[in-house]
Amino acid sequence: MPELPEVETVCRDLRSCGLIGKPITQATVLWDRTIQNSTTETFCHSVQGKRIIDIRRRGKYIHILLSDSLHVFIHLRMTGSLSLVSSEMGIGQYDRVIITFNESSLRFSDPRKFGRIMLCDSQTSIYDKLGPDPFDPLLTTDVWFERLHGRQMRIKPLLLDQSFLAGLGNIYADESLFSASIHPCRPAHSLSRDESAVLLESIRHILTTAIIHRGTSLGDGKGNFTSNGDRGENISNLRVYGKSTRPCPKCSTPIQRIVVGQRGTHYCPNCQK
DNA sequence: AGAGCTGTTACCAA
DNA sequence: TTTGGTAACAGCTC
């Protein structure tokens, strides 16, 4: 779930929840290892009394700007989710961190405990290690082609490398490559100028469509990423992910599932050469 | 019951 | 530089 469109949906929801401007009255950590770069005590003490200045997204990170130049970065990893609830609400089975405001509290829930929260003095440590955002206007088709041209890795694992491009995950990488009719195992440098331009367009189109539909929810919806518990509606737009043996929507050839870089990979062997 | 799958990333070794 | 293996966890499906 939590790839760029899902994280973007969470950020938009949090911004429209009226969270911005509110002071944090208390923070509680129920699973210590969720706090990645400081102790539970330091984290709780540091954020107490700070106000939420803004909520942004960088790649798959939720970036919460606090007063006094503090930055909280939240990564949902596989099963993390955020929800804003009444502070009276009882603690959930999978709640790992609770940030309380006066009447409401932001709960970080995460069954698999992979999600991470970091507290930083500046945003650079996170921002600098990530590649460009797919929607970055500085990422022109020329820049994109040159970036691909210098790499001999297979295109799919490269798209999943967050230091190369920030935000794509397994679902949207497969969908973007299908949309661009590019085989996931093509060496990145083998893409022509035209193919690379089509790929960038495809990535942007796939992500834009997914954001409009509030992301993709898989499974039964438990531990869903959205802050209000609603499911993302993008699953109906998926054309290859999770569709192995089903007919390709372009040519009716059965969709194949292979493993590329230890990740399940779905593609059409006829359309993606 | 048990094996194998999963949306992510960090780290290590070759 | 690139690839593969493992690990962090827990729930789900078959």
Side-chain angles (χ1 to χ4, degrees):
Chain A
M1 268 184 286
E3 303 179 31
L4 186 152
E6 293 75 27
V7 176
E8 179 65 30
T9 299
V10 170
C11 289
R12 290 181 180 188
D13 284 356
L14 292 178
R15 280 196 296 268
S16 63
C17 271
L19 218 50
I20 291 172
K22 285 190 177 167
I24 295 169
T25 49
Q26 191 184 27
T28 307
V29 175
L30 299 109
W31 180 255
D32 283 343
R33 280 197 280 176
T34 300
I35 308 299
Q36 191 165 37
N37 67 337
S38 66
T39 64
T40 288
E41 292 72 27
T42 303
F43 175 82
C44 293
H45 183 259
S46 300
V47 301
Q48 192 160 14
K50 302 296 189 292
R51 279 174 191 279
I52 308 259
I53 302 296
D54 201 3
I55 298 167
R56 300 176 188 164
R57 177 188 61 73
R58 175 80 173 97
K60 300 178 195 173
Y61 285 90
I62 297 155
H63 175 198
I64 301 178
L65 290 80
L66 298 181
S67 52
D68 294 347
S69 289
L70 277 182
H71 303 262
V72 173
F73 287 95
I74 302 177
H75 200 299
L76 302 175
R77 293 280 184 99
M78 297 279 270
T79 53
S81 65
L82 288 171
S83 57
L84 191 64
V85 299
S86 159
S87 47
E88 308 290 307
M89 177 89 84
I91 294 171
Q93 182 182 3
Y94 303 119
D95 287 352
R96 308 303 179 196
V97 175
I98 300 180
I99 295 174
T100 303
F101 305 89
N102 285 322
E103 309 258 308
S104 56
S105 61
L106 184 65
R107 312 251 166 133
F108 177 73
S109 178
D110 186 17
R112 286 180 72 174
K113 300 174 177 171
F114 288 172
R116 292 291 179 263
I117 297 180
M118 273 174 293
L119 182 66
C120 305
D121 292 326
S122 97
Q123 64 184 40
T124 56
S125 59
I126 298 294
Y127 274 57
D128 288 359
K129 72 174 187 182
L130 293 175
D133 193 275
F135 294 111
D136 188 336
L138 295 177
L139 186 61
T140 61
T141 52
D142 282 346
V143 170
W144 176 242
F145 176 70
E146 292 304 328
R147 284 179 77 79
L148 290 175
H149 204 65
R151 298 295 211 110
Q152 55 188 34
M153 240 199 278
R154 294 168 296 179
I155 185 65
K156 167 156 176 182
L158 188 60
L159 292 179
L160 293 177
D161 180 348
Q162 301 299 298
S163 67
F164 181 78
L165 183 70
L168 277 195
N170 207 34
I171 297 175
Y172 300 117
D174 282 0
E175 294 296 320
S176 299
L177 288 168
F178 174 77
S179 178
S181 300
I182 293 170
H183 193 288
C185 296
R186 287 271 301 279
H189 64 71
S190 77
L191 269 64
S192 69
R193 206 170 268 279
D194 280 353
E195 285 175 320
S196 67
V198 169
L199 178 57
L200 183 59
E201 274 175 41
S202 296
I203 290 169
R204 287 174 169 163
H205 176 255
I206 292 286
L207 293 178
T208 300
T209 302
I211 290 169
I212 288 171
H213 293 89
R214 298 179 49 78
T216 302
S217 294
L218 299 178
D220 64 9
K222 275 188 214 160
N224 203 9
F225 62 92
T226 60
S227 56
N228 58 11
D230 286 351
R231 295 168 61 76
E233 301 141 13
N234 193 62
I235 193 166
S236 56
N237 295 306
L238 301 185
R239 296 193 282 175
V240 288
Y241 185 86
K243 310 279 189 195
S244 57
T245 75
R246 296 184 50 185
C248 167
K250 291 183 193 170
C251 75
S252 297
T253 300
I255 299 299
Q256 262 190 29
R257 182 186 185 279
I258 58 175
V259 176
V260 180
Q262 286 98 243
R263 308 299 302 276
T265 296
H266 314 75
Y267 77 109
C268 171
N270 182 49
C271 296
Q272 297 169 263
K273 298 294 188 188

